[in-house]
Amino acid sequence: MRDWAKARRERTHHLIELGGLVQKAGLVDLTDDDRATLLGAFLDIAGQLQGGNDTTPDDLKTRWRRAGLNAFDRDREQDNRRKRP
């Protein structure tokens, strides 16, 4: 496979995973699939990470990462319960 094709496939896979996170967070349903609203929310997040508010960007990322890891753990536990007979 050519390098450009491999890079394109990897980028596509990455973007699909990111879209899956938007879905997993429930944002698609909560915004009625309004892409302008989603983009606005992401721009707001980006602004928060650029600073200028009471919470530091590192604190925000730590809090968001912890929440995300907890959500992944809950999903994993639910999946494991479903697999048990």
Side-chain angles (χ1 to χ4, degrees):
M1 179 179 297
R2 293 188 170 161
D3 289 342
W4 63 267
K6 184 177 178 185
R8 183 176 178 196
R9 181 172 288 172
E10 288 172 1
R11 180 179 182 274
T12 299
H13 181 76
H14 182 73
L15 293 174
I16 290 169
E17 285 179 333
L18 292 174
L21 293 175
V22 172
Q23 178 70 39
K24 187 177 200 76
L27 294 173
V28 174
D29 293 333
L30 290 170
T31 61
D32 295 324
D33 200 11
D34 184 340
R35 297 180 187 184
T37 300
L38 289 169
L39 178 58
F42 293 136
L43 291 172
D44 186 47
I45 291 168
Q48 290 180 52
L49 290 174
Q50 291 171 353
N53 55 8
D54 294 340
T55 308
T56 68
D58 286 339
D59 287 342
L60 287 172
K61 288 189 277 187
T62 298
R63 185 174 74 209
W64 293 338
R65 179 172 172 72
R66 190 176 302 124
L69 290 171
N70 287 335
F72 281 136
D73 287 344
R74 280 192 307 273
D75 286 350
R76 195 173 310 114
E77 288 173 10
Q78 287 177 353
D79 288 345
N80 288 338
R81 279 188 230 128
R82 287 184 198 129
K83 291 177 184 177
R84 292 181 191 147

